[in-house]
Amino acid sequence: MNDVPFTARWTHRLRSDQGSAAIEAAIILPSLIMFLCLALAGGRLVTSGAKIDAAAEDAAREASIHRTAAAAQNAAHAAAAASLNDQGISCASTSVNINTGGLSVPVGQVGTVTVTVTCTVNLSDLLLPGAPGARTLTSTATSVVDQFRERGD
């Protein structure tokens, strides 16, 4: 039928690159998708960390301007929650720990208020295989209490 022998036709089919683009895409595409998801997870953690830092700073500053430890505690919790909400951070769980020891030092001495904000950031919606479902981020900030401001009891 054909002038070309059977083995020559078979050899030509084995050496052709027909369909090789699809095989290359099948090999490379999952790796690219995983890299993109990993980059998104890293970006989410970095931006969330910066926003949690800002929330801790806001809470520490708010606590340092109050005269009593109870008022400082309430103000720091409210400031941290408002800051996280304003910045669009939705934490799976949040805790705010305040050290108001600087409010009890005598007038004329420098005291500090330290606030630690802990937020659990959800990563499960990224569909990254092997990634944890959530990551807990913690930030601590300290604010100086005005040494000449009256202190409460």
Side-chain angles (χ1 to χ4, degrees):
M1 284 193 216
N2 284 350
D3 295 355
V4 181
F6 175 75
T7 56
R9 281 185 288 175
W10 186 253
T11 304
H12 175 69
R13 278 192 181 163
L14 287 177
R15 291 188 183 165
S16 83
D17 29 337
Q18 193 172 18
S20 64
I23 293 172
E24 290 172 5
I27 293 171
I28 293 174
L29 195 59
S31 300
L32 289 176
I33 291 172
M34 187 172 291
F35 179 74
L36 178 66
C37 289
L38 189 61
L40 287 173
R44 181 175 293 176
L45 290 175
V46 168
T47 57
S48 296
K51 291 176 181 181
I52 293 167
D53 289 344
E57 290 169 6
D58 291 346
R61 178 66 189 136
E62 188 66 30
S64 72
I65 61 175
H66 285 79
R67 293 186 173 142
T68 64
Q73 294 270 347
N74 293 335
H77 280 283
S83 181
L84 290 172
N85 187 37
D86 290 346
Q87 297 181 52
I89 296 288
S90 58
C91 301
S93 67
T94 306
S95 71
V96 180
N97 296 320
I98 303 110
N99 179 356
T100 58
L103 294 175
S104 62
V105 300
V107 174
Q109 294 181 5
V110 177
T112 60
V113 174
T114 303
V115 175
T116 302
V117 176
T118 303
C119 173
T120 303
V121 179
N122 191 10
L123 298 174
S124 62
D125 59 337
L126 294 177
L127 302 174
L128 183 63
R135 181 80 186 253
T136 301
L137 302 175
T138 301
S139 181
T140 301
T142 301
S143 184
V144 176
V145 177
D146 184 6
Q147 64 182 342
F148 299 111
R149 185 176 182 124
E150 179 183 350
R151 310 291 201 277
D153 294 332

